[in-house]
């Protein structure tokens, strides 16, 4: 079962930062936080993941609170192509063969 | 990067027939693959875990005789929807784990099944 809570929808102005929150208050010490997004009628796309440190890559930044009970995905300069459903998933990670269970996600709409 | 290919991308079939969907890892070997189903405006629901060379593990409530999974090689898993009915119409997505991968699972582009 999904172990994350996300707001169902958010809007963001084009060019501004999009901050997508996720609550995972029951996360275990060996579980990672993964973020994926799904553009309509496509398969989910990997964005970023982290364990406890903040992470940044070419797509986004991931901020994980010190107690690891919540995190925020940051898209620094949102574009219209970032309109998608964003999923936050907690899992022990692929090297363990663990399943990914998806929650309801956040539908992000980037507005021109 | 790791690529997962699904075929076909769209399929329409008649009620009572069976449909096979293929999931291939193109540039890596995958001992484990996963199959999801997604209804319109809903999230992905995990159906089963496919393990190469062994039986698939099905999630609670998923009929294993209805959704046959075969993972005969390290690069191919197939999902067969048997005796399809209109309520089986859905978006089916697979994902695979690269053996040495650290970025999480790679997902296919999905298969849109319509049963008429």
């Amino acid at each position: 079962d999904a172990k994350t809570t996300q707001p169902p929808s958010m809007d963001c102005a084009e060019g501004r930062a999009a901050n997508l929150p996720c609550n995972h208050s029951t996360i275990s010490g060996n579980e990672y936080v993964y973020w994926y997004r799904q553009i309509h009628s496509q398969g989910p796309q990997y964005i970023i993941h982290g364990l406890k440190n903040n992470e940044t890559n070419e797509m986004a930044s991931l901020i994980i609170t010190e107690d690891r009970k919540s995190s925020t995905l940051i898209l620094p300069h949102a574009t219209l192509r970032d309109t998608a459903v964003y999923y936050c998933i907690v899992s022990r990670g692929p090297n363990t063969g663990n399943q990914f269970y998806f929650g309801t996600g956040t539908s992000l709409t980037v507005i021109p | 990067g790791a690529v997962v290919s699904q075929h076909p991308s769209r399929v329409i079939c008649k009620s009572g027939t069976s449909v096979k969907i293929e999931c291939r890892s193109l540039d890596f070997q995958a001992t484990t693959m996963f199959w999801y189903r997604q209804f319109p405006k809903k999230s992905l629901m995990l159906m089963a875990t496919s393990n190469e060379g062994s039986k698939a593990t099905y999630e609670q409530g998923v009929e294993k005789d209805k959704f046959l999974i075969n993972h005969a090689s390290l690069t191919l898993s197939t999902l067969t929807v048997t005796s399809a009915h209109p309520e089986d119409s859905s978006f089916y997505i697979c994902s695979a784990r690269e053996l040495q991968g650290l970025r999480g699972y790679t997902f296919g582009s999905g298969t849109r099944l319509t049963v008429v």
Side-chain angles (χ1 to χ4, degrees):
Chain A
D1 291 334
K3 297 182 284 188
T4 62
T5 304
Q6 297 176 252
S9 63
M10 292 181 64
D11 292 339
C12 177
E14 187 179 17
R16 305 295 292 268
N19 298 284
L20 292 90
C22 180
N23 287 324
H24 31 79
S25 58
T26 61
I27 190 170
S28 301
N30 59 0
E31 289 184 315
Y32 291 75
V33 180
Y34 288 84
W35 282 85
Y36 280 77
R37 72 181 181 184
Q38 185 180 28
I39 297 170
H40 182 64
S41 295
Q42 297 182 23
Q45 175 192 22
Y46 168 87
I47 301 173
I48 199 167
H49 77 283
L51 183 62
K52 54 183 178 181
N53 297 323
N54 298 337
E55 302 287 343
T56 296
N57 63 19
E58 66 278 5
M59 290 183 69
S61 294
L62 174 61
I63 307 299
I64 302 174
T65 58
E66 192 169 344
D67 63 7
R68 301 208 323 124
K69 293 185 177 182
S70 66
S71 61
T72 301
L73 177 74
I74 301 173
L75 307 178
H77 306 287
T79 70
L80 298 179
R81 286 181 291 183
D82 292 323
T83 293
V85 179
Y86 287 77
Y87 295 99
C88 165
I89 301 164
V90 295
S91 174
R92 283 174 54 202
N95 285 337
T96 62
N98 265 35
Q99 294 86 348
F100 273 17
Y101 293 98
F102 284 75
T104 54
T106 296
S107 178
L108 175 69
T109 301
V110 180
I111 302 170
Chain B
V3 177
V4 172
S5 173
Q6 269 186 253
H7 179 80
S9 58
R10 292 177 178 269
V11 59
I12 301 173
C13 72
K14 293 183 178 180
S15 290
T17 62
S18 297
V19 176
K20 180 184 288 187
I21 302 170
E22 293 186 347
C23 179
R24 293 181 184 273
S25 56
L26 294 188
D27 50 1
F28 67 98
Q29 293 181 329
T31 56
T32 306
M33 293 185 175
F34 302 91
W35 287 95
Y36 293 83
R37 180 168 55 180
Q38 185 176 33
F39 292 109
K41 299 189 183 300
K42 298 294 185 181
S43 184
L44 286 77
M45 184 188 75
L46 180 65
M47 299 175 66
T49 301
S50 170
N51 300 298
E52 186 268 336
S54 65
K55 290 184 178 181
T57 304
Y58 291 81
E59 295 295 307
Q60 190 173 8
V62 177
E63 301 176 58
K64 61 180 181 181
D65 295 330
K66 173 77 172 176
F67 300 99
L68 300 179
I69 292 172
N70 184 281
H71 194 157
S73 77
L74 286 172
T75 59
L76 175 64
S77 175
T78 60
L79 169 68
T80 301
V81 182
T82 63
S83 187
H85 289 96
E87 56 264 32
D88 297 324
S89 299
S90 188
F91 193 51
Y92 292 86
I93 307 169
C94 70
S95 71
R97 172 178 76 95
E98 188 174 2
L99 285 178
Q100 300 301 324
L102 299 176
R103 286 164 45 114
Y105 298 106
T106 301
F107 287 80
S109 53
T111 297
R112 176 75 59 190
L113 170 63
T114 303
V115 184
V116 297

